[in-house]
Amino acid sequence: MEFSHYSVMLGECMDALDIKEDGIYVDGTLGGAGHSLEICKRLTTGRLIGFDQDSDAIAAATERLKDNGQFEKVTIVHSNYENMKSELEKLGVEKVDGILLDLGVSSFQLDTLERGFSYMKDDADLDMRMDRRNPNTAATILNEYSEEELTRILKEYGEEKFARNIAKNIVKQRETKPFEKVGELNAVVDASIPMKAKKTGGHPSKRTFQALRIELNRELFVLEETLDTMIDLLNEDGRLAIITFHSLEDRIVKNNFKRNEDPCTCPKDFPVCVCGKKSKGKVLTRKPILPTEKELGENSRSKSAKLRVFVKKSEG
């Protein structure tokens, strides 16, 4: 199957990165290389370093960049972007001019039903691994987490109103047979949500699948733990552009950017700052950039996307 991933807000991302033809840029979520290809087209003596933990994405990105004559500008790293600093050091790169993260699950991952990211194929394995070197899968979480832990992730990561009931029924069901297939989880979720609540909000398993995917792939933890490092990796006037797809991600990015712009912890009535914390730059998006109506018409999966941008400034 062809690796397809609509490059969300492609033009807006290129504008946000303000690409210099001799710059060094990082695509922390390479995917099918849609964004990376456009970055490369704007480089002459510059360089792109692409990270992805999905081997299918790396294979597809490599092919796409070669087909478009851009591969010689690119170094691909098979790793989660949480390892960006150490991997760049291995490449002899201390600072970069721009970093892009597109945090969406790729269309390929969703549409390759055997990967288990989608609730649409009942006989698919409950996998959901972005990095298939991970020994654990979504089934591991369902079969091994306590009822309390399952409730927590469904509430926090899925914002699921019926988290406690779903978790209770998951634990009850696995006593009879361990979870293996998507359909087994769909059945439990469906039975755990009142009929009235299922009339709105889309597929009843949507929030549960989101929660399991986020937990398994440590998505919010990695994002939260890596943002400061990425800002520190930027040259002066370097840009960090991040596309999020749900409120949990967007809140993390928004709050981090705000704190890096204004890190002062002094009481508001202090006449001067005494905490000594210096601003690292400026938020360029007071409100997030949203997809155009045209893009929404071409790709419905863009509808929840938000782009936020931070520019690094001298701390002097």
Side-chain angles (χ1 to χ4, degrees):
M1 181 177 177
E2 182 186 355
F3 194 108
S4 62
H5 181 58
Y6 187 102
S7 300
V8 174
M9 290 189 276
L10 184 59
E12 292 89 339
C13 286
M14 297 306 107
D15 292 341
L17 290 170
D18 191 26
I19 297 162
K20 299 185 293 187
E21 62 182 20
D22 60 347
I24 299 176
Y25 294 87
V26 175
D27 187 341
T29 49
L30 184 63
H35 291 107
S36 283
L37 178 59
E38 289 304 311
I39 293 170
C40 286
K41 288 177 180 177
R42 290 159 170 79
L43 302 176
T44 54
T45 58
R47 178 181 186 187
L48 176 87
I49 301 160
F51 287 76
D52 210 294
Q53 54 186 331
D54 189 330
S55 55
D56 288 341
I58 287 175
T62 300
E63 183 178 349
R64 186 172 192 176
L65 291 163
K66 283 182 175 177
D67 287 348
N68 286 274
Q70 301 294 332
F71 191 67
E72 71 280 358
K73 300 174 185 175
V74 181
T75 302
I76 295 179
V77 181
H78 186 190
S79 181
N80 191 308
Y81 69 83
E82 70 177 315
N83 302 313
M84 190 180 294
K85 188 175 190 296
S86 60
E87 292 293 340
L88 290 177
E89 285 173 353
K90 291 177 188 177
L91 297 170
V93 176
E94 292 184 7
K95 297 284 185 179
V96 301
D97 297 293
I99 300 170
L100 174 67
L101 295 183
D102 173 4
L103 298 174
V105 181
S106 72
S107 297
F108 175 86
Q109 288 168 328
L110 286 169
D111 295 340
T112 306
L113 297 179
E114 58 266 27
R115 294 288 296 270
F117 285 100
S118 172
Y119 38 76
M120 299 303 293
K121 184 176 170 63
D122 280 350
D123 62 348
D125 290 338
L126 283 161
D127 192 325
M128 301 193 204
R129 292 173 296 171
M130 291 184 175
D131 187 341
R132 286 192 277 190
R133 297 171 296 187
N134 185 349
N136 298 319
T137 65
T140 309
I141 295 171
L142 292 166
N143 293 323
E144 296 184 6
Y145 276 33
S146 68
E147 184 175 331
E148 292 74 20
E149 288 174 314
L150 288 167
T151 301
R152 176 187 62 81
I153 67 168
L154 292 172
K155 275 185 177 177
E156 287 185 17
Y157 300 158
E159 300 178 291
E160 173 56 72
K161 292 180 183 177
F162 303 98
R164 190 167 298 282
N165 202 34
I166 294 170
K168 180 186 73 175
N169 288 331
I170 286 170
V171 171
K172 183 179 178 181
Q173 176 64 32
R174 75 191 187 193
E175 290 173 357
T176 305
K177 179 185 179 297
F179 284 89
E180 295 178 1
K181 301 294 183 180
V182 164
E184 295 165 353
L185 178 57
N186 281 338
V188 169
V189 173
D190 188 66
S192 304
I193 298 177
M195 184 63 70
K196 185 179 179 181
K198 287 187 286 191
K199 291 180 179 178
T200 58
H203 196 286
S205 291
K206 180 179 179 180
R207 291 173 295 278
T208 295
F209 271 66
Q210 174 179 297
L212 289 169
R213 193 200 79 225
I214 288 172
E215 172 70 9
L216 177 65
N217 296 292
R218 302 164 50 249
E219 293 174 36
L220 298 183
F221 173 81
V222 169
L223 179 63
E224 198 154 23
E225 292 295 307
T226 315
L227 284 168
D228 287 349
T229 300
M230 289 189 286
I231 289 173
D232 289 341
L233 283 168
L234 294 172
N235 282 317
E236 186 173 350
D237 294 326
R239 307 284 187 93
L240 173 57
I242 301 179
I243 304 171
T244 62
F245 285 85
H246 54 75
S247 60
L248 301 171
E249 293 172 336
D250 184 59
R251 193 177 308 130
I252 290 170
V253 175
K254 178 183 178 180
N255 291 340
N256 180 278
F257 283 6
K258 184 178 179 182
R259 176 175 56 78
N260 274 291
E261 179 179 66
D262 183 14
C264 179
T265 54
C266 297
K268 295 299 181 187
D269 58 353
F270 270 35
V272 292
C273 173
V274 295
C275 72
K277 295 181 178 178
K278 303 288 187 183
S279 173
K280 292 183 179 179
K282 183 179 179 182
V283 180
L284 295 182
T285 45
R286 292 300 160 197
K287 292 185 177 179
I289 299 168
L290 304 177
T292 62
E293 289 298 322
K294 179 177 183 294
E295 176 164 341
L296 291 172
E298 294 171 352
N299 179 37
S300 62
R301 287 174 179 167
S302 297
K303 68 181 179 182
S304 59
K306 294 179 178 179
L307 171 63
R308 294 187 186 270
V309 188
F310 187 90
V311 60
K312 179 78 171 287
K313 295 297 182 184
S314 170
E315 295 177 37

